[in-house]
Amino acid sequence: MSVKPLVPVLVGASIVAVSLTACSGAGGGGGTSGGGGGSGDAITVLMVNNPQMVDLQKLTADNFTAKTGIKVNFTVLPENDLRDKTSQEFSSQAGQYDVASLSNFEIPIYAKNNWVADLTDYSKKDTAFNQDDILKPMTTALSVDGKIYGEPFYGESSFLMYRTDVFKDKNLTMPPKPTWQEVADLAAKLDGAQPGMKGICLRGQPGWGQVFAPLTTVVNTFGGTWFEKDWTPKVNAPEFKEAVNFYVNLVRAHGEAGASQAGFTECLNNTMQGKTAMWYDATSAAGSLESDSSPTKGKFGYVAAPVVKTAASGWLYTWAWAIQQKSTRKDNAWKFISWASSKEYEELVGKTAGYGWSRVPAGKRASTYANADYLKAAGAFAEATKSAIESVDPNNPGVQPRPAAGIQFVDIPEFPDLGTKVSQKVSSAIAGQTTVDAALDEGQALAEAVANKYQK
Amino acid sequence: MTTATAPVGASKKGALRRSGDWARRAPLLPALILTLLVTQLPFVVTLVTSFMNWNAYYPDERGFAGLDNFKTVLSDPDARKAIIMTVVLTLSVVLIALVLGLLIALLLDRKFLGQGIVRTMMITPFLIVPVAAALLWKHALYNPEYGLFNGMLKLVFGEHAPQVDWIGQYPVLAVIFAIVWQWTPFMMLIILAGLQSRPMDVVEAARIDGASAWQIFVHMTLPHLRQYIELAALLGTIYVIQNFDHVFTITSGGLGTANLPYYIYQTFYTAHDYGLASAAGVVVVIGTQIAAMLALRTVFSIFKEQGR
């Protein structure tokens, strides 16, 4: 019997499973390191690897650094790694990064913990930046108690996209402000309008940022909410159930095939390929639908997010810049933000060869939508995007007062976990494995556990 | 361990031998220490973290939590489901991949034209990055709108062929087959190596003595392959238990397919609860140890002297 010598080998092997959790638990490292320290007039920026950020990284040295003499060291990470890194960096106030790209989910939470710097005075003094040009809901979503903690780089809301040519063929008209019931009726009539075409595409993939982005806006306008003002969870309340039943029944009856696993990418493919007649999703999707590589380019109309009991129901999401409270180079950090989020930067991207107006980080400034060059590239959806963003109220998205900000999310650290767990159950309901009522009863139990923390 | 030193004195001889031993061990030490550092230190950190209340969003509440995290893991119904899913996933993937691997290895062991090319092609799935393979299965094969499987159904049965929502209707099977596709070549490789180390003269002798092909396979080939099959199963199990890419990509942990690595990922990345995630990790290690010990002591012959 020589079993024992094997044990260390096994321990070593199975530790690989654990080191998944340990690698970041140790509190640092990270593969890409471009930041840290920096001498003289240099700042360090931590940001997500979305295309607009990569463009910014390429344009910084020749423009911002050339003009101001401030060198910018970027660390660029995928979204999940970025969230992990920023939560560690900011919670410990390590001071390694001066600026970070954060979403409107993180910024209010970070601001309440005093992890990010108050930018109100900077934005007031910097008249060239022109805070009044920033779309109002963006400023609201990035402020806590009237103080500004983040400046948007680009942003989006949600709206309903539909095929104007198919509507014409079937003699249907899209109301300018449709209700969800009207959309459901239209979806039923549009099913099979062309061979293999479905009425509507709606996300069903699990994830708080997948199915629950559109679904929470539906819940809001049906009169439901995750929590009431005093943190009473309402996940299995009649309004929440009605909204989710409506959504699940609609997508099961007239939605895309494989809905339980369809996210943004799948719906984009389906809509672009002419397999769905309507799609309710992010305003930023329109840029892809109207791009030169889209086979259905020019065939889309855009209307406001469908409603039931509220005046508007679109969501609000933005990648924004924030300065770490501990940073010792706040003045230079603001200069960078002021440049990156400026009107001039948008023009720079639009006019630089190889970039162009379709790649402008839009959705944050009113002036973008008055720019003739931008409208030439994005005219089909520019007005609808602007009015979608302007119509939302991130602090009051439903019919009842809320304990925390947020439209398609509840702005508390526990929500990503809660939303993802409930979304997995909703996804099962879309696949027909369980009922909506059973899924939401389980969701209510999870929400109660979260509420306990806040009701104390 | 006798060395060429002259017998000067007992104590001196002992000292010399010790230094001789160390001279032989020393070159190995850097590698050994590095291995210890990179494998055991993360484990120690995880172990310590698992007893802490540590959520990235609540730095002020960080502190010792006793056994709370372990209580949460063991009482969380999602964690229990994840444990069951991990067992189901690992067992079915390893068993199916072993059977397929054995069959393919038996075919590839024969001489035929283009053997080298076919063998290389059969190994290819194992060489593909797991997340890329999972994406391929999700989008190019399973997708009900533009996937290959439904496209084939239409090609064979015409426009009105049934269009299956592969992942939605059979989520667990969808994940299992995507992983089986990736791991069958691994099983095949090891078994093929075993087949080619088979002493052919004995097989020849058996054939002359009138043994049928089936008898040769059951009584000679299989016993010879036993150790290779066990090794393939053991290594396969160790890797498949840790599978994350396929669950993450194909189902996003939905439809009841979340396994333990996914559960740990979710606890770590979306809940930012480092303590709980570490506790779940420690539970996985302990569970794996127990299962591996039981398997090695009962079923497997590979590490027993009498196995030969």
Side-chain angles (χ1 to χ4, degrees), chain B residues 102-122:
Chain B
L102 177 64
L103 293 176
I104 297 170
L106 286 170
L107 290 176
L108 283 184
D109 193 37
R110 292 158 181 256
K111 283 263 171 286
F112 59 89
L113 191 70
Q115 193 186 23
I117 298 172
V118 172
R119 203 181 286 175
T120 311
M121 283 165 66
M122 294 304 297

Side-chain angles (χ1 to χ4, degrees), chain A residues 81-129:
Chain A
D81 295 335
L82 176 95
R83 284 185 203 282
D84 180 45
K85 183 101 180 154
T86 50
S87 69
Q88 287 181 15
E89 166 79 12
F90 281 76
S91 66
S92 61
Q93 287 291 297
Q96 197 189 349
Y97 294 98
D98 302 302
V99 178
S101 70
L102 297 170
S103 77
N104 54 324
F105 174 78
E106 281 97 7
I107 285 182
I109 297 175
Y110 284 22
K112 280 173 199 155
N113 284 331
N114 203 22
W115 294 344
V116 287
D118 179 1
L119 304 179
T120 320
D121 286 344
Y122 282 113
S123 73
K124 263 187 199 148
K125 276 183 215 151
D126 191 347
T127 47
F129 180 74

Side-chain angles (χ1 to χ4, degrees), chain B residues 87-292:
Chain B
V87 173
V88 170
L89 197 67
T90 310
L91 284 183
S92 42
V93 167
V94 169
L95 287 180
I96 298 172
L98 262 182
V99 172
L100 288 177
L102 177 64
L103 293 176
I104 297 170
L106 286 170
L107 290 176
L108 283 184
D109 193 37
R110 292 158 181 256
K111 283 263 171 286
F112 59 89
L113 191 70
Q115 193 186 23
I117 298 172
V118 172
R119 203 181 286 175
T120 311
M121 283 165 66
M122 294 304 297
I123 297 167
T124 313
F126 190 57
L127 304 179
I128 294 176
V129 180
V131 71
L135 278 171
L136 179 85
W137 276 83
K138 182 179 183 189
H139 288 280
L141 301 179
Y142 286 142
N143 188 291
E145 302 268 8
Y146 48 81
L148 182 72
F149 289 159
N150 277 353
M152 293 297 283
L153 284 178
K154 270 194 178 165
L155 200 71
V156 176
F157 297 105
E159 253 327 284
H160 298 288
Q163 294 287 284
V164 186
D165 176 7
W166 299 98
I167 304 174
Q169 286 176 352
Y170 314 105
V172 178
L173 285 178
V175 174
I176 286 176
F177 277 104
I179 310 177
V180 163
W181 177 79
Q182 183 132 51
W183 280 92
T184 301
F186 174 80
M187 308 293 184
M188 180 204 82
L189 265 181
I190 294 183
I191 294 171
L192 193 59
L195 277 175
Q196 291 179 346
S197 73
R198 200 167 36 145
M200 287 316 287
D201 47 345
V202 189
V203 176
E204 205 61 31
R207 199 167 288 146
I208 290 165
D209 287 345
S212 70
W214 176 250
Q215 282 171 323
I216 293 176
F217 176 71
V218 171
H219 296 292
M220 303 185 69
T221 309
L222 265 190
H224 172 78
L225 284 180
R226 178 169 175 180
Q227 290 188 321
Y228 294 89
I229 292 174
E230 286 175 357
L231 180 69
L234 182 71
L235 292 176
T237 306
I238 289 172
Y239 285 106
V240 175
I241 279 185
Q242 299 169 25
N243 182 281
F244 170 76
D245 310 61
H246 289 78
V247 173
F248 176 76
T249 309
I250 295 177
T251 59
S252 318
L255 309 177
T257 59
N259 60 353
L260 272 168
Y262 188 87
Y263 175 85
I264 295 171
Y265 160 84
Q266 193 177 319
T267 316
F268 190 89
Y269 275 105
T270 62
H272 289 279
D273 194 333
Y274 301 164
L276 190 59
S278 301
V282 171
V283 170
V284 179
V285 171
I286 294 173
T288 321
Q289 294 290 331
I290 295 172

